[in-house]
Amino acid sequence: MAIKINGTTVIDDSRVLSNLTVDGTNDPGFKNVPTNSNSNAYTCVLTDAGKCLLHPSADTTARIFTIPSNASVAYPLGTVLTFVNQNAAGTMTISINTDVMRLGGAGTTGSRTLLANGLATAIKVGSTEWLITGTGLS
């Protein structure tokens, strides 16, 4: 169905979403959180935006997951990265290169430790600033 204003088509049929329902049975977007599992030190990439970065329980070694600097990977404002350190996995350190990562509530900056069974979410709130919060995070 095209959208018209005063008889002029402003959005043609090729740009109108269809088959969407109020109950969400045909809504667009993810129906789950895509997961990127890593058993090595890992530096996040642009395609990790909106994903769960998993340190699996099969890897009992402590690992460092790094959020790269804005100069290296320019994530858009509002980008979310979720970190999960699965049961029995070694400690996960969430680090940041040269930008700032603040702990939610406390406001302190620097790398963070995520214990086993921990879950943390980082959101980009400024061009070089992230806010991180979660359970099992210090």
Side-chain angles (χ1 to χ4, degrees), residues 54-89:
L54 174 69
H55 182 211
S57 60
D59 181 21
T60 59
T61 303
R63 301 292 182 191
I64 299 173
F65 284 51
T66 303
I67 300 173
S69 68
N70 187 67
S72 175
V73 178
Y75 291 103
L77 291 179
T79 293
V80 172
L81 301 172
T82 299
F83 299 88
V84 173
N85 198 18
Q86 198 172 12
N87 182 49

Side-chain angles (χ1 to χ4, degrees), residues 18-69:
S18 60
N19 297 323
L20 300 180
T21 57
V22 174
D23 67 1
T25 56
N26 292 320
D27 56 342
F30 297 123
K31 295 203 181 273
N32 57 19
V33 178
T35 300
N36 182 351
S37 181
N38 292 282
S39 293
N40 294 298
Y42 182 74
T43 299
C44 300
V45 295
L46 190 58
T47 56
D48 286 327
K51 289 185 180 177
C52 167
L53 300 157
L54 174 69
H55 182 211
S57 60
D59 181 21
T60 59
T61 303
R63 301 292 182 191
I64 299 173
F65 284 51
T66 303
I67 300 173
S69 68

Side-chain angles (χ1 to χ4, degrees), residues 76-120:
L77 291 179
T79 293
V80 172
L81 301 172
T82 299
F83 299 88
V84 173
N85 198 18
Q86 198 172 12
N87 182 49
T91 301
M92 175 194 279
T93 298
I94 303 167
S95 71
I96 193 155
N97 281 345
T98 57
D99 295 346
V100 175
M101 181 170 58
R102 297 185 194 287
L103 180 61
T108 53
T109 60
S111 296
R112 298 289 155 205
T113 301
L114 188 61
L115 300 177
N117 296 307
L119 177 117

